[in-house]
């Protein structure tokens, strides 16, 4: 029986999924419409590594969650790629239909000097909402949070990528690294027309998340921080690499 793992990254029209069965060295890749389809994939992955915040602070803190603060320290030149996750109050405001300003205010929790919310984080709140609604603490046995840049650095002997993934040079260096890791089959999709709403960097991020999922399944991955705290729902706030 195949033992699949999956790497997942959000895109405009859903979620890009890259699957790998290391025992058979078999890959699959597809676009699914929502996170419910991710957690019910027919391959039943033993690990699903996803690039979306899991576990949210009750009150905003400078730099965000501990895992985000540590990730920036590890990434150095790529530190700006790590956005601070919203608070539970900010997510609640979003779920109530509030716009950016009201959600950012909710993130501050009535403390004028507390951090608001970046536009980038506000833009991925629909994805955060999907995942948060689908998960329980028990689900984190399968679904793990990753940050692609942290995973790329881990795969590159601890050295962060040189270029932004939004540039041709950045996509090229990531594809080259992934090719050296054996992701030749899914990378062939870069030379074809990707599904509508998916971009090249979404596929690259899903690939490196899949690489980390394989490491988690084999017991060779590490987690940041080493002793992750939990949020009000009992969800661990951590990043795997």
């Amino acid at each position: 029986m195949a033992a699949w793992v999956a790497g997942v990254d959000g895109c405009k029209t859903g979620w890009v999924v890259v699957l790998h069965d290391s025992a058979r060295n078999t890959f699959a890749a597809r676009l699914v419409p929502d996170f419910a389809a991710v957690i019910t994939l027919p391959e039943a992955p033993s690990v699903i590594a996803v690039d979306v915040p899991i576990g949210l602070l009750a009150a905003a803190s400078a730099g965000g969650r501990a895992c985000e603060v540590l990730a920036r320290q590890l990434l150095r030149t790529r530190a700006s790629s790590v956005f601070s996750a919203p608070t539970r109050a900010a997510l609640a405001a979003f779920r109530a239909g509030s716009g950016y300003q009201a959600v950012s205010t909710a993130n501050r929790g009535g403390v004028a000097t507390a951090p608001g919310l970046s536009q980038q984080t506000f833009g991925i709140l629909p994805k955060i909402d999907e995942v948060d609604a689908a998960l329980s603490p028990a689900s984190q046995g399968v679904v793990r949070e990753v940050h692609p840049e942290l995973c790329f650095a881990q795969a590159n002997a601890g050295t962060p990528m040189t270029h932004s993934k939004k540039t041709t040079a950045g996509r090229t260096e990531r594809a080259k690294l992934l090719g050296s890791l054996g992701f030749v089959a899914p990378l062939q999709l870069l030379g074809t027309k990707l599904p509508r709403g998916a971009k090249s960097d979404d596929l690259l991020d899903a690939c490196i998340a899949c690489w980390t999922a394989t490491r988690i399944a084999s017991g060779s991955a590490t987690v940041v921080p080493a002793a992750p705290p939990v949020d009000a729902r009992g969800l661990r706030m951590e990043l795997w690499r």
Side-chain angles (χ1 to χ4, degrees):
M1 183 177 179
W4 294 92
V5 298
V8 182
D9 189 58
C11 67
K12 287 185 178 180
T13 54
W15 300 84
V16 178
V17 179
V18 173
L19 294 130
H20 184 215
D21 172 11
S22 57
R24 302 179 185 181
N25 198 30
T26 301
F27 288 93
R30 66 180 68 103
L31 178 67
V32 300
D34 50 46
F35 200 70
V38 172
I39 59 178
T40 57
L41 285 163
E43 291 85 357
S46 61
V47 176
I48 298 172
V50 60
D51 174 23
V52 77
I54 299 172
L56 306 175
L57 294 172
S61 176
R65 302 173 300 167
C67 59
E68 292 156 346
V69 173
L70 292 170
R72 292 188 196 99
Q73 293 173 3
L74 290 166
L75 286 172
R76 305 185 299 278
T77 55
R78 301 247 64 83
S80 62
S81 67
V82 182
F83 307 144
S84 295
T87 62
R88 285 243 156 251
L91 179 59
F94 171 79
R95 285 172 169 167
S98 297
Y100 170 69
Q101 290 298 337
V103 171
S104 187
T105 297
N107 201 77
R108 292 190 173 93
V111 180
T113 57
L117 200 71
S118 71
Q119 287 280 4
Q120 293 95 330
T121 300
F122 181 77
I124 63 169
L125 268 170
K127 301 295 187 189
I128 297 172
D129 184 15
E130 273 191 66
V131 174
D132 185 74
L135 295 189
S136 67
S139 305
Q140 284 186 288
V142 173
V143 182
R144 312 293 184 96
E145 181 184 348
V146 297
H147 190 287
E149 291 304 300
L150 195 61
C151 298
F152 274 117
Q154 181 70 26
N156 196 39
T159 303
M161 296 288 93
T162 303
H163 306 285
S164 166
K165 68 180 182 181
K166 301 299 183 182
T167 66
T168 299
R171 291 188 291 272
T172 298
E173 70 172 334
R174 285 163 180 76
K176 182 178 179 181
L177 177 58
L178 285 165
S180 73
L181 299 173
F183 282 78
V184 176
L187 287 174
Q188 289 175 351
L189 293 173
L190 292 174
T192 65
K193 186 175 181 180
L194 293 171
R196 186 175 181 180
K199 298 180 295 184
S200 295
D201 55 292
D202 299 325
L203 178 62
L204 294 170
D205 286 351
C207 284
I208 198 65
C210 184
W211 176 79
T212 301
T214 300
R215 285 168 50 80
I216 294 170
S218 69
S220 59
T222 57
V223 66
V224 176
V230 298
D231 75 352
R233 291 192 54 219
L235 297 170
R236 297 189 308 277
M237 295 180 282
E238 61 189 15
L239 284 168
W240 287 86
R241 57 176 178 147

